[in-house]
Amino acid sequence: MSADEAPAPPGPSAPAGALESHLRARRSEGRKLLVPYVTGGMSPDWLEVVHAVADAGADAIEVGIPFSDPMMDGPTIQEASVRALALGTTPHALLDALARTEVGVPVAVMTYYNVVFRAGHKRFAASLVDAGVAGAIVPDLPLEESVQWRAEAAAAGIETVLLVAPSTPDDRAAAICAASRGFVYGIGTMGVTGERALLADTAGAAAGRLQSMTDVPVCIGIGVSTPAQAAEVCTLADGVIVGSALVRRLLDGGGPSAAAAFVGELRAGLDGG
């Protein structure tokens, strides 16, 4: 199919897919949304970790496809990616593993555009569907350059989650919100992923700004590291993405039980427990 024949990306009134429908339903129940991040293939028991965090209270799970040059990620997730690649993890192997399991909550993969481009938009979207994946996050693919990918993804039933930075002008942020599906990924602080001792003021500001622009669930990530920080940002946001704080526990030797314990603490913090 040529670019001229490619399907059009979904419009603002397009029906919600599996990821967004699930998150909207949870939100309508009064629940704050928790989306933990796990680097796929970083250890032999990574799928057990995914199941453990789902059982501990995750509303959706972000699974990272390891990449050699993860420009959005800081040292913790970079190290997890290096370990995964050293174990021979490939996009095909990771998706094949996901295809052979039932997680219980929607899964969105996070990857970089080189992986998508090399596979081809249509083929990569189909591989996500075959793996039971509901959404995709491609942080190095700008809005204007994502049109063909979003169209092929939507045609296959995959929702593309787009990111909004604190520095994004309001008109551009509104356009990104209108195009994002699944949820809007609000970046809580400028910089790469990583744990922060204090929640940046920009996290709450980002949540409030994005909530005024869209009814799609707004989740804040990057710099949310503790149950208290998660609860604080969710006074304005619909939910949080927590990655580096969880991955660090796994790198330090914690397995599925340690992951479940930490996600349980995050869940309790969001639930006011």
Side-chain angles (χ1 to χ4, degrees):
M1 179 179 289
S2 70
D4 292 338
E5 298 171 320
S13 61
L19 173 60
E20 186 175 324
S21 294
H22 180 80
L23 296 181
R24 282 180 178 273
R26 291 287 177 95
R27 181 178 66 180
S28 69
E29 297 167 358
R31 182 179 172 103
K32 291 298 184 177
L33 306 173
L34 175 57
V35 185
Y37 167 96
V38 176
T39 302
M42 65 175 290
S43 62
D45 62 354
W46 74 272
L47 271 179
E48 295 175 42
V49 171
V50 169
H51 283 282
V53 300
D55 293 342
D59 297 293
I61 299 172
E62 182 183 345
V63 173
I65 297 177
F67 185 61
S68 58
D69 187 22
M71 60 184 291
M72 178 179 166
D73 293 311
T76 299
I77 294 177
Q78 285 185 24
E79 183 179 346
S81 292
V82 168
R83 289 194 187 185
L85 293 171
L87 288 172
T89 303
T90 64
H92 175 77
L94 186 153
L95 294 175
D96 183 61
L98 284 173
R100 291 183 279 107
T101 191
E102 178 58 51
V103 176
V105 297
V107 171
V109 297
M110 187 276 202
T111 190
Y112 290 89
Y113 185 59
N114 192 353
V115 174
V116 180
F117 178 78
R118 184 173 182 184
H121 294 164
K122 189 170 185 176
R123 179 183 170 202
F124 188 71
S127 70
L128 297 185
V129 173
D130 291 344
V133 170
I137 304 167
V138 189
D140 59 340
L141 187 60
L143 175 66
E144 295 81 2
E145 297 178 25
S146 70
V147 172
Q148 290 187 29
W149 158 250
R150 287 189 287 115
E152 292 289 2
I158 298 296
E159 295 182 300
T160 300
V161 176
L162 300 178
L163 298 87
V164 182
S167 59
T168 304
D170 285 347
D171 57 346
R172 182 172 179 80
I176 293 171
C177 287
S180 191
R181 293 293 176 271
F183 61 91
V184 174
Y185 192 134
I187 296 174
T189 186
M190 298 297 289
V192 295
T193 60
E195 293 179 87
R196 308 293 199 277
L198 298 173
L199 185 69
D201 292 340
T202 50
R209 178 169 75 132
L210 296 175
Q211 290 280 28
S212 72
M213 295 178 174
T214 184
D215 186 49
V216 175
V218 172
C219 296
I220 302 297
I222 304 185
V224 181
S225 308
T226 69
Q229 291 174 359
E232 182 179 347
V233 78
C234 277
T235 59
L236 293 170
D238 293 314
V240 290
I241 303 116
V242 180
S244 294
L246 172 57
V247 171
R248 179 179 58 78
R249 286 164 169 79
L250 299 172
L251 290 173
D252 289 347
S257 60
F262 178 57
V263 171
E265 292 171 3
L266 293 169
R267 181 77 266 163
L270 293 177
D271 293 344

